[in-house]
Amino acid sequence: LGGGGGLTDSGDGPRLFLRGVTEDISEQKIMGICDQYGEVTDGYKIPGKGVMYVSFQCWAAADHALQNLPTTSIGQQVHGDWAQPKTGPATLGPQANLAAGLDDKRVFLGNLTPNCREEEIRDYFKAFGRVEDVFVPHGKRIGYVTFALWGSAKDAISCNDAKTSFSTRLNVKWAEKKPERGGGW
């Protein structure tokens, strides 16, 4: 575990902002709790402020920690949120989806080979986290993967290997939201 030395990443990676961290709870204890959800790469507790930043190796681990931290038993309530990137507000750059409420867990796959099967896609993408659904429209060279966690989807998009593992250069990106159907004519 890192720790104590301040954050070494650019601030645009998987990083949580924790509040409710009292002075009697050590940086190492919080990082150890967070490490249960995936590899922690760094952490920094701001003295006297009751807050801490924790960086993770992957987005899925940070997402899992964020969902579970309020229920952990450390004798106090620690609440977390996605840390703002050091390079600007969360609505810009690589964390644009953070502002959308993290309800987007579906990725779009473009340029699939004509004989690519849903089972192959599921087998490959489960390395990023629990896959809830895979859909490949018949006769199309596109597909969709829905993950259980937003962070798993973010990791799949960020991974360059996913883009070359199917004998072709895949286009892996956030799936567009399905348009809401209105009533009327």
Side-chain angles (χ1 to χ4, degrees):
L1 297 178
L7 295 172
T8 57
D9 63 45
S10 68
D12 291 336
R15 187 168 68 127
L16 299 180
F17 173 76
L18 307 178
R19 56 194 186 287
V21 180
T22 58
E23 291 301 313
D24 60 319
I25 302 294
S26 73
E27 204 172 77
Q28 286 70 30
K29 182 168 183 164
I30 295 290
M31 289 172 61
I33 290 168
C34 290
D35 204 47
Q36 296 174 61
Y37 306 107
E39 185 179 344
V40 171
T41 59
D42 205 356
Y44 179 68
K45 183 176 175 184
I46 300 174
K49 299 289 185 183
V51 298
M52 182 170 174
Y53 290 94
V54 179
S55 294
F56 290 82
Q57 179 68 34
C58 66
W59 288 95
D63 193 11
H64 195 218
L66 184 62
Q67 292 183 27
N68 289 290
L69 270 175
T71 63
T72 57
S73 171
I74 59 172
Q76 65 187 46
Q77 281 291 107
V78 172
H79 299 281
D81 205 348
W82 293 102
Q84 294 279 331
K86 293 178 182 179
T87 57
T91 56
L92 301 174
Q95 292 183 331
N97 280 61
L98 297 183
L102 305 180
D103 58 350
D104 191 2
K105 302 171 190 173
R106 194 168 74 131
V107 298
F108 169 85
L109 309 175
N111 200 30
L112 291 173
T113 57
N115 57 349
C116 191
R117 297 182 346 264
E118 288 182 3
E119 297 82 36
E120 288 177 273
I121 294 169
R122 181 179 300 276
D123 285 346
Y124 178 79
F125 283 96
K126 70 182 181 184
F128 299 102
R130 188 163 52 89
V131 173
E132 291 185 337
D133 186 47
V134 175
F135 176 65
V136 178
H138 182 70
K140 305 263 184 173
R141 294 184 63 192
I142 64 169
Y144 299 90
V145 176
T146 304
F147 290 92
L149 293 173
W150 171 89
S152 298
K154 175 71 174 158
D155 286 338
I157 290 169
S158 300
C159 180
N160 290 328
D161 285 347
K163 298 174 182 170
T164 59
S165 293
F166 291 92
S167 303
T168 184
R169 179 125 179 106
L170 288 185
N171 177 12
V172 182
K173 63 183 184 179
W174 291 109
E176 292 184 16
K177 296 264 187 202
K178 295 177 184 176
E180 292 188 29
R181 295 185 170 210
W185 304 97

